[in-house]
Amino acid sequence: MNKQVTAKEPTKASLFSKNLSIFVLPILIGKKRLSLFESQILKGGGKVCSLSQVKSGEANPTLIVVEDSLLQNSKILEQHLKAYKNMGSCTVVGTKWLSDSIKFHKCMSFENYKPHNQPSYDEDCLPPKKQKLSEQGRENLSNNFALSEPSCSKETIEVEKFACSQSSSVNTSLEENKIVIQELQKLADAFRIKGDTWRSHGYTKAISAIKRCGKVLSSYEDAVSLPGVGDKIASKVWEILETGRLRKVSEVCEDSKTKVLQLFTNIWGVGPSTAEAWYLQGFCTLDDLKEKGTLTKQQQIGLKYYQDFLERIPRIEVEEIGELVSVMAKSIQPQLTATLVGSYRRGKESCGDIDVMICKPDHLDSKNILSQLLESLKNSGLITDDLVSIEKDGNERKYLGVCQLPGENKKHRRLDIFLVQKSELGPALMHYTGSALFNRSIRLLAAKKGMSLSEHSLHGGIVREGLKVLNGGYIIPTPDEKSIFEALGLAYRPPEERDH
Ligand SMILES: Nc1ccn([C@H]2C[C@H](O)[C@@H](COP(=O)(O)OP(=O)(O)OP(=O)(O)O)O2)c(=O)n1
Ligand SMILES: [Mn+2]
């Protein structure tokens, strides 16, 4: 049975009992947050067991603090904690215990912060006392820390929690959830333009889960039960349900600075840091930039076509432009094929840009092909400006530019051309079809399964330590998209169902 750690009455001088050796499980806790926690434990008079001390058996923690969200998933939590079973019996609490203790200057009772079914390390599930960890055991132990998100053995990967395992098109537009999605989207956008990519991704993931869940959200519990929705976002959902709005939106999105950053980051080629720098220089309008700003070539083009680039492109126009590129490619080399990818291939009614993937036989030189194609497209008048040209950055696979159909009132459109070789067609097609969130999700799933997916290939037998790949493994043949889904143990999803 667990040896209950008794928390001594705190005094002003020490918040935590000296007997309390606390190990903060680093999984899902950012580096910054971890070191903040650790320094606060020390400041409160507690003892900190570091990861390396715990791994080497040098320290025996009496209390393990885990990220709150892990408390909700006893399966994954147990998986992680198994690694510690022969390191003494510990009480496990969530990070909220630590936050509350610090907040209230009081060592909170553990009871309210324990996992619902705290895994118990009874004698019968402990290895015999003197038994050393097997090689495999050691391996598992170190692998437990290999990823910043919970990594688990093959049997416990809950594939259905990954966005990529689900169709994006089930009940996408439940009217009742629209207000929740709208409010959260405002935050996702605001964090993106402020350069807080992680927060922005977090909200995007939650929005995608809400769109896919197929039920009307009516409580905190409904929200928190969805994959990718933790306590914080669920509380926000609850606030929206209760009040019809989110206070944080007005805090984060509606101040004048955010509005200026939004205006600036809408210029193609301008990211959060440039926008911020311009704002600090005192620029507030596009005219300010035109008159006084220092802009790169790309940003100048972005500014020139500001309005055009903000407009969505109807499918029919995407098709027209795609057809012209395709005809031109075939006239250069009949073996080339052109496929419209990106949001077009996912069936969207309108697109942000035109993504064309050109596929060539492996033996043909890519440099010659792309430069010839681009030259013809410029001569024909379709391409009007280059944003990232192949010569410029030595990248022979990717071209980003601007095009315009002939005729009255035709808008300037963003055109991307990707060149891939036949042997990489499956992974390339999947990558350029997206969506970006689908790609992130399926790559994470691959990583969890000891594989690695890129736009070039799928590798198996990958051994990672942290972000470092120790063993690059072997290529799994994936001639088409179906074979990638298959290799990852996923049901096939046509492109329209990947619009996460
Ligand atoms: N950060 C990114 C950006 C893009 N892509 C992949 C998936 C996208 O679907 C594809 C094309 O990128 P776009 O930016 O053109 O995105 P979409 O075509 O999906 O949407 P839009 O209609 O806005 O162009 O490239 C990705 O994996 N990760
Ligand atoms: Mn696109």
Side-chain angles (χ1 to χ4, degrees):
M1 284 301 291
N2 277 345
K3 195 165 51 179
Q4 183 67 48
V5 180
T6 46
K8 291 251 172 75
E9 267 301 297
T11 63
K12 272 224 161 98
S14 71
L15 178 56
F16 303 117
S17 149
K18 260 199 316 223
N19 302 331
L20 209 52
S21 302
I22 305 177
F23 169 51
V24 184
L25 186 74
I27 288 160
L28 281 181
I29 299 185
K31 256 193 192 155
K32 264 196 194 150
R33 206 163 143 236
L34 179 66
S35 74
L36 194 76
F37 279 152
E38 292 184 339
S39 69
Q40 284 179 320
I41 293 167
L42 292 173
K43 223 163 103 188
K47 240 168 72 187
V48 169
C49 303
S50 73
L51 175 61
S52 56
Q53 287 172 327
V54 172
K55 271 168 89 173
S56 66
E58 226 175 281
N60 283 323
T62 44
L63 183 70
I64 302 185
V65 176
V66 304
E67 160 59 28
D68 275 326
S69 55
L70 285 178
L71 294 182
Q72 288 158 16
N73 193 332
S74 53
K75 237 172 153 185
I76 289 187
L77 178 59
E78 212 155 329
Q79 185 71 26
H80 285 298
L81 293 179
K82 255 186 206 161
Y84 304 99
K85 59 189 170 188
N86 54 350
M87 294 182 194
S89 49
C90 297
T91 300
V92 178
V93 291
T95 41
K96 192 162 190 304
W97 169 82
L98 196 50
S99 314
D100 283 355
S101 296
I102 295 160
K103 190 154 105 195
F104 300 117
H105 301 288
K106 178 180 168 215
C107 182
M108 305 302 282
S109 149
F110 301 130
E111 280 315 309
N112 301 329
Y113 303 91
K114 285 181 175 177
H116 299 309
N117 299 309
Q118 172 146 14
S120 57
Y121 304 110
D122 293 340
E123 288 301 321
D124 61 358
C125 56
L126 287 175
K129 277 254 155 63
K130 291 246 161 76
Q131 185 184 307
K132 288 202 170 162
L133 269 182
S134 64
E135 276 307 308
Q136 188 56 46
R138 277 178 213 288
E139 180 91 306
N140 290 345
L141 187 60
S142 56
N143 279 348
N144 249 337
F145 299 96
L147 289 163
S148 58
E149 299 204 35
S151 70
C152 10
S153 73
K154 271 188 187 150
E155 305 80 69
T156 60
I157 297 170
E158 294 175 75
V159 168
E160 66 279 7
K161 293 223 160 149
F162 287 77
C164 61
S165 75
Q166 286 161 13
S167 169
S168 60
S169 59
V170 207
N171 294 302
T172 42
S173 49
L174 275 178
E175 242 352 270
E176 293 88 338
N177 291 338
K178 276 217 166 120
I179 171 85
V180 173
I181 292 167
Q182 260 171 25
E183 291 292 289
L184 296 180
Q185 187 65 53
K186 287 181 197 164
L187 286 185
D189 292 343
F191 285 123
R192 180 176 42 78
I193 65 170
K194 287 174 192 218
D196 195 339
T197 315
W198 283 108
R199 274 220 179 106
S200 175
H201 281 172
Y203 282 100
T204 309
K205 209 165 126 188
I207 291 165
S208 165
I210 294 171
K211 282 184 182 166
R212 277 181 282 119
C213 75
K215 60 179 179 192
V216 177
L217 298 183
S218 62
S219 67
Y220 169 91
E221 283 72 25
D222 285 347
V224 89
S225 70
L226 300 176
V229 180
D231 168 61
K232 284 202 178 122
I233 295 184
S235 305
K236 293 194 174 66
V237 171
W238 178 78
E239 188 188 328
I240 301 166
L241 294 173
E242 288 288 306
T243 67
R245 60 188 284 270
L246 197 51
R247 274 166 308 158
K248 200 169 167 104
V249 165
S250 45
E251 240 172 72
V252 177
C253 315
E254 284 159 18
D255 62 305
S256 56
K257 176 176 176 181
T258 310
K259 287 186 177 153
V260 174
L261 294 181
Q262 173 115 49
L263 181 77
F264 290 170
T265 49
N266 274 337
I267 303 172
W268 198 90
V270 176
S273 55
T274 307
E276 172 91 19
W278 284 339
Y279 179 80
L280 292 176
Q281 283 174 266
F283 303 149
C284 289
T285 65
L286 296 182
D287 283 333
D288 290 344
L289 295 180
K290 273 180 208 157
E291 287 158 26
K292 297 170 274 184
T294 315
L295 280 74
T296 64
K297 261 255 161 57
Q298 292 178 343
Q299 292 162 350
Q300 286 169 24
I301 295 169
L303 190 54
K304 185 159 87 175
Y305 302 128
Y306 190 85
Q307 270 315 321
D308 278 5
F309 285 0
L310 280 182
E311 298 204 17
R312 308 280 304 169
I313 313 167
R315 275 183 85 75
I316 181 97
E317 191 177 334
V318 176
E319 283 161 12
E320 241 179 288
I321 294 167
E323 185 58 26
L324 288 177
V325 177
S326 171
V327 167
M328 202 62 91
K330 289 233 186 282
S331 76
I332 289 166
Q333 167 59 253
Q335 283 170 289
L336 298 179
T337 60
T339 311
L340 283 165
V341 287
S343 51
Y344 176 86
R345 186 160 182 261
R346 299 198 308 277
K348 300 291 279 186
E349 273 314 307
S350 66
C351 306
D353 63 3
I354 300 124
D355 301 295
V356 187
M357 188 182 83
I358 307 276
C359 183
K360 69 165 184 78
D362 285 31
H363 64 270
L364 291 182
D365 181 358
S366 53
K367 180 124 197 175
N368 284 331
I369 291 173
L370 250 193
S371 52
Q372 276 185 69
L373 176 60
L374 292 174
E375 201 188 309
S376 316
L377 291 173
K378 281 174 202 174
N379 288 339
S380 76
L382 185 72
I383 289 183
T384 60
D385 302 80
D386 294 332
L387 286 164
V388 179
S389 60
I390 47 164
E391 293 86 1
K392 228 192 213 154
D393 75 343
N395 182 346
E396 291 151 26
R397 296 165 177 276
K398 206 178 204 170
Y399 169 82
L400 313 182
V402 184
C403 68
Q404 186 185 34
L405 282 171
E408 291 275 297
N409 298 326
K410 294 293 185 191
K411 298 199 158 59
H412 285 86
R413 307 296 197 184
R414 283 267 306 101
L415 171 67
D416 291 351
I417 300 176
F418 314 107
L419 181 64
V420 308
Q421 58 192 36
K422 192 88 186 288
S423 57
E424 298 180 347
L425 187 60
L429 189 56
M430 178 178 271
H431 171 76
Y432 290 117
T433 298
S435 68
L437 196 154
F438 175 89
N439 287 352
R440 282 201 299 278
S441 174
I442 199 163
R443 284 174 188 208
L444 182 64
L445 177 64
K448 292 273 162 80
K449 293 199 162 194
M451 297 186 235
S452 164
L453 177 64
S454 73
E455 70 248 58
H456 303 296
S457 58
L458 178 66
H459 279 246
I462 300 280
V463 182
R464 289 184 174 81
E465 192 177 273
L467 293 175
K468 222 169 71 194
V469 171
L470 298 182
N471 184 339
Y474 48 89
I475 289 193
I476 299 171
T478 48
D480 52 22
E481 289 181 316
K482 286 211 166 89
S483 55
I484 302 174
F485 283 97
E486 213 170 289
L488 292 170
L490 288 172
Y492 176 73
R493 296 273 165 225
E496 311 81 65
E497 296 184 17
R498 300 179 214 157
D499 195 39
H500 292 77

